[in-house]
Amino acid sequence: MVFRNWFNWTPLALVAGASFVWAEGLPPVSVDVTTPPARFLSAYNLFRDVARQIPNEGLHAYTINTPLFSDYAEKHRFFYLPPGAQVTYTSEGALELPVGSVLVKTFSFPRDRRDPAQGAQVVETRILMHRPEGWVGYPYVWNADLSEARLAVAGARLDLSWIHDDGMAREIRYNVPNMNQCKQCHENGDVMGPIGFKAQQLNRGHGEVDNQLGAWAQMGLLAGLPDGAEEVPRFPVWNAPETGSLDARARAYLDANCAHCHNPGGEAASTGLDLRWAQHEPVAYGVNKQPTAAGPASRGYIHAIQPGAPDRSFLLNRLRATDPVIMMPRTGRTLPHAEGIALIEAWIAGMDPELKSRDLTGRGG
């Protein structure tokens, strides 16, 4: 990537305008973070078209490089800023969003993953609202005709089915998290906040925009973006070998799927397993690391990652598991992610059995 990419972009509104017409009479997005959450999502005027996830004026779509796996759900992501406000760039952690901001994520399941023309079941929209007292997550569940989504403080369990990539039907008991479960992933050291809204995830194109960070800077939505694109960290796309090495894609996958708990301030800090991308010491991210808090969930294996031996690595075995006591991550999925497991399996199998402390990604300290 080179510097000029920052300026080779098309405004998001113009890109979106190629595929939809503004609905008459719908006012722009409006969110008052000083009042209790709305009972119905329509109060915020987020979408022009729910089925196609076309945002209303004031809501900005974005994409990330390597997402969290959620039972093969497709996710549509957006952010909202109060009028005149800006996101502040930082290379570490989530970009800083001011009070009044909202992150929006809609979960849907294609009816047939082999044929997008059959459409998708839109299931829920989660909003993460930056209130004066801090970030708070609210799940909203859509009704059948997508005319409304209701706040689900206690979460919900939904029976879903679709035709999978192999032509076979999949059925799951889908879990919409309750508000406390939102904290399990989004809370770090008693402080709740965004997870995926960070530079290395956002440093990429979106639709016809070459680089969404550069586009936001041009639109006045983002402050502090470095002048050179090479100065901004970037995750590879976990399933796109052309974007990074096997080592780098595996580490990005573990960061996106596990590091929100497995970090020094996270819910799983007591395990000593640190799966953040920023962790460069192999034993800290599991290589030849013995379990400290896994108990029987380690299934008798002595290392989280045993180089060259994926079937003797309890980290991989917990990714494969569906038993709620054993599986990882513990929330957000009921199915094993076959493609992600294959990535981690190949990564471990390719490790040098004599590996002691070398950083596999080659990113240095």
Side-chain angles (χ1 to χ4, degrees), residues 33-49:
V33 299
T34 65
T35 61
R39 185 179 178 189
F40 298 104
L41 194 64
S42 59
Y44 300 128
N45 304 324
L46 296 178
F47 301 110
R48 293 285 182 176
D49 184 324

Side-chain angles (χ1 to χ4, degrees), residues 85 99 120 130 148 190 219 234 237:
V99 171
H130 197 179
E148 189 57 274
D190 296 328
M219 296 167 71
R234 185 175 199 170
V237 178

Side-chain angles (χ1 to χ4, degrees), residues 127-202:
I127 66 173
L128 194 62
M129 185 179 293
H130 197 179
R131 306 179 70 91
E133 65 273 23
W135 287 92
V136 184
Y138 302 108
Y140 287 82
V141 177
W142 287 97
N143 61 12
D145 64 6
L146 301 183
S147 59
E148 189 57 274
R150 179 190 293 267
L151 177 64
V153 173
R157 299 282 279 177
L158 307 171
D159 293 320
L160 301 177
S161 63
W162 69 90
I163 302 300
H164 203 60
D165 302 327
D166 57 6
M168 304 296 290
R170 292 284 194 283
E171 296 180 353
I172 61 170
R173 184 78 165 153
Y174 181 78
N175 181 53
V176 177
N178 61 44
M179 288 179 58
N180 283 330
Q181 288 174 319
C182 294
K183 295 179 182 178
Q184 290 180 8
C185 294
H186 284 275
E187 194 169 80
N188 194 297
D190 296 328
V191 177
M192 191 160 170
I195 298 173
F197 199 75
K198 48 190 178 184
Q200 54 265 52
Q201 286 279 29
L202 298 166

Side-chain angles (χ1 to χ4, degrees), residues 30 39 87 118 124 159 173 198 210 219 253 308 330 349 357 362:
S30 179
R39 185 179 178 189
V87 179
Q118 294 194 28
E124 59 156 328
D159 293 320
R173 184 78 165 153
K198 48 190 178 184
D210 285 347
M219 296 167 71
Y253 182 88
R330 286 183 175 174
S357 61

Side-chain angles (χ1 to χ4, degrees), residues 46-118:
L46 296 178
F47 301 110
R48 293 285 182 176
D49 184 324
V50 174
R52 293 189 294 161
Q53 285 294 288
I54 296 175
N56 190 16
E57 182 181 355
L59 195 64
H60 307 279
Y62 68 93
T63 310
I64 63 174
N65 282 314
T66 292
L68 170 73
F69 172 73
S70 305
D71 280 344
Y72 293 97
E74 292 189 349
K75 302 173 186 176
H76 299 267
R77 298 173 175 82
F78 311 89
F79 71 93
Y80 164 78
L81 291 173
Q86 289 184 304
V87 179
T88 300
Y89 175 84
T90 177
S91 61
E92 299 291 335
L95 304 189
E96 298 173 8
L97 291 145
V99 171
S101 303
V102 180
L103 293 174
V104 179
K105 184 162 60 177
T106 294
F107 293 67
S108 64
F109 289 81
R111 293 183 175 85
D112 187 335
R113 288 174 56 87
R114 305 165 305 169
D115 181 11
Q118 294 194 28

